[in-house]
Amino acid sequence: MTRAEILTHVLAKVTGKPEADVKDLFENICAANPKIAKGFMVEVPEEQAQKDIEAMLAEGPGILLRLMQGAREVAAFESKTVH
């Protein structure tokens, strides 16, 4: 299971949106930023993937806040490295 598949599953559960919709959103994000896409395409062993899913689901809606903060940090870093 990839990191993208893990997050897609978790975000669909947390938001109540269909997994297909969340997957489309992820694909668009990855298409717009290949550097981020590489990180999301990493394979995670099944046992670890299940642990990650359980931990993120336990965090509930807070996972969305953490993802948004991470996206802001990446955007801020990228803006500082562009010449």
Side-chain angles (χ1 to χ4, degrees):
M1 186 173 243
T2 65
R3 288 184 180 158
E5 290 169 330
I6 293 167
L7 281 170
T8 296
H9 178 76
V10 170
L11 291 175
K13 291 259 187 201
V14 170
T15 62
K17 301 286 184 190
E19 268 194 51
D21 292 351
V22 178
K23 183 180 177 188
D24 288 344
L25 175 65
F26 245 104
E27 288 174 354
N28 289 334
I29 291 169
C30 289
N33 193 329
K35 288 181 185 177
I36 289 175
K38 286 182 186 178
F40 284 132
M41 294 304 119
V42 172
E43 286 286 332
V44 178
E46 189 63 31
E47 186 175 316
Q48 184 61 49
Q50 292 308 315
K51 287 179 184 178
D52 292 349
I53 288 169
E54 289 172 18
M56 287 185 224
L57 287 175
E59 191 173 336
I63 191 70
L64 295 172
L65 178 61
R66 223 167 28 107
L67 288 171
M68 290 186 330
Q69 288 171 335
R72 284 188 199 122
E73 290 172 11
V74 168
F77 176 77
E78 289 292 319
S79 69
K80 290 177 185 174
T81 59
V82 175
H83 300 249

